[in-house]
Amino acid sequence: MSDLEAHLAARIRAGGPLRVSEFMAEALLNPTHGYYTTRDPLGAAGDFTTAPEISQMFGEMIGLCLAQSWLDQGRPERFALAELGPGRGTLMADILRATRAAPGFTEAATLHLVEASPPLRAAQRATLGEEVTWHDSIDTLPEDRALFLVANEFFDALPIRQFLRSGPGWRERLVGLEDESLRFGLGDLLAQPALHHRLADTQEGDLVEICPQAAPIMAAIGTRIEAHGGVGIVIDYGDWRSLGDTLQAMRAHEKVAPLEAPGTADLTAHVDFEALANATPSAHSRLTPQGVFLERLGITARAQALAKGLSGAALESHIAAHRRLTHPEEMGNLFKTLAVYPTDATPPPGFEA
């Protein structure tokens, strides 16, 4: 039994089974043994690869989207350019390179990264330099200026709670102990006011997930944008409404059991975009597949331009990266995009109201 497993077992023996959200928080962010606090999880040598690591084109398209939105909103003289969960800083570096095409954009921006992982903060510093303000949470982002924000694969890592439909009520899925090993179980049958609206579209035995942290974060983003201008772009895997068990663990690019060796695998769950959209006081776009969003922004033309200087294995890798980002059978449909923007503004490029 690992140190984190022993810690979790002791906590369960002392206080009873844990909610899935409590288990996820410990597995991902335990100060001593948590997954994100002890390693850089990205890339071929890590456990998973995100879109910015696949190709520079992903960040370039988002950068152009942000720059055009800045122009459309009258070129605010001062704004916060922010990213939630910025990985190694690759996406932000690509955004900054692409937005140089919009004179005045980078000069008006102050750079803000919300990152809880010390190893990843170090990687971001190496990529982006020292002209960055790091934040432990969204609460300390500037509130006196426009906010242009990106959250790519951020919300999927927030801890979730899971509930199993049982008649007119719900039983919460819990993590307990069986023969000194972590096991899933179910709590007592209770009414769940937060899930009352789901009684109409679920049936006996259906599992529904909620993410308690997601709505307050989205509300804070939308409040800033509605008050001062800007745009928030959320990119993640999920759909309009949660249904079914989507909790998964990834280690060395392979799926493993979520309770197996906690702290050594990434834990994620599909994002409920309906909950995000309902949380913001600002306007929000239609939910758009990632592939459609990138194609609207011109990623194929950019791919063709970059391909002219490539041949052999480099060209094959480039073509594969474009396909992986946009094809419906790859990330193109699995990942969705949602934009929030002021109610008196137009949707950002690539989105529809």
Side-chain angles (χ1 to χ4, degrees):
M1 181 178 287
S2 70
D3 289 339
L4 184 55
E5 284 178 284
H7 167 73
L8 290 169
R11 185 173 167 183
I12 291 168
R13 281 193 293 267
L18 304 175
R19 292 172 173 170
V20 172
S21 58
E22 294 171 323
F23 167 77
M24 286 184 69
E26 288 275 18
L28 295 176
L29 295 172
N30 180 278
T32 306
H33 307 296
Y35 179 77
Y36 286 125
T37 54
T38 57
R39 71 199 68 215
D40 176 351
L42 296 166
D47 297 307
F48 59 90
T49 302
T50 61
E53 306 291 333
I54 294 171
S55 171
Q56 69 185 62
M57 296 184 292
F58 181 78
E60 289 172 348
M61 294 301 103
I62 293 173
L64 294 176
C65 175
L66 293 174
Q68 186 61 53
S69 296
W70 176 72
L71 292 170
D72 291 343
Q73 293 187 31
R75 303 172 184 249
E77 294 182 0
R78 186 178 64 153
F79 67 90
L81 179 59
E83 185 177 356
L84 309 185
R88 293 174 176 162
T90 304
L91 174 56
M92 185 55 73
D94 291 338
I95 287 172
L96 291 171
R97 185 180 64 255
T99 52
R100 293 194 194 107
F105 181 91
T106 54
E107 292 79 6
T110 56
L111 191 54
H112 301 265
L113 302 180
V114 178
E115 179 58 70
S117 166
L120 287 176
R121 280 196 182 193
Q124 293 153 19
R125 184 174 285 105
T127 300
L128 299 169
E130 297 292 338
E131 296 300 313
V132 177
T133 301
W134 277 272
H135 303 262
D136 292 325
S137 74
I138 193 172
D139 297 337
T140 55
L141 288 178
E143 298 186 68
D144 60 348
R145 66 196 72 173
L147 174 64
F148 289 79
L149 176 144
V150 178
N152 178 60
E153 292 199 55
F154 170 79
F155 284 96
D156 69 308
L158 296 179
I160 60 162
R161 295 173 66 184
Q162 295 183 316
F163 297 89
L164 196 74
R165 171 77 182 273
S166 181
W170 304 86
R171 300 181 68 188
E172 184 160 11
R173 199 180 192 198
L174 303 172
V175 178
L177 287 176
E178 183 179 309
D179 298 327
E180 291 303 300
S181 295
L182 297 174
R183 292 287 186 272
F184 285 118
L186 292 172
D188 295 335
L189 178 62
L190 296 170
Q192 296 291 341
L195 292 174
H196 182 71
H197 67 294
R198 298 307 306 273
L199 294 174
D201 73 326
T202 56
Q203 57 189 356
E204 186 76 17
D206 280 349
L207 189 142
V208 171
E209 299 170 338
I210 63 173
C211 180
Q213 295 180 27
I217 291 172
M218 198 65 174
I221 294 170
T223 297
R224 285 168 166 80
I225 289 172
E226 185 66 13
H228 300 289
V231 163
I233 299 174
V234 177
I235 305 161
D236 229 312
Y237 59 97
D239 218 322
W240 184 246
R241 180 173 282 193
S242 161
L243 184 62
D245 179 8
T246 71
L247 179 65
Q248 68 174 18
M250 293 288 290
R251 184 186 304 120
H253 299 270
E254 299 289 339
K255 288 186 178 181
V256 296
L259 300 185
E260 176 187 309
T264 67
D266 184 39
L267 294 174
T268 60
H270 285 202
V271 173
D272 183 340
F273 281 94
E274 180 184 38
L276 297 184
N278 288 341
T280 179
S282 67
H284 65 81
S285 70
R286 296 182 186 178
L287 190 63
T288 307
Q290 176 179 291
V292 173
F293 169 65
L294 294 174
E295 291 291 1
R296 287 174 177 171
L297 292 172
I299 192 172
T300 295
R302 177 59 173 156
Q304 291 169 343
L306 290 172
K308 292 178 180 178
L310 302 174
S311 61
L315 178 59
E316 292 178 6
S317 177
H318 174 64
I319 293 171
H322 175 263
R323 175 185 170 85
R324 187 172 177 188
L325 290 173
T326 61
H327 196 279
E329 295 180 2
E330 303 267 356
M331 297 175 74
N333 194 54
L334 174 64
F335 280 73
K336 306 296 194 301
T337 62
L338 182 78
V340 296
Y341 53 95
T343 52
D344 61 354
T346 57
F351 293 99
E352 296 176 336

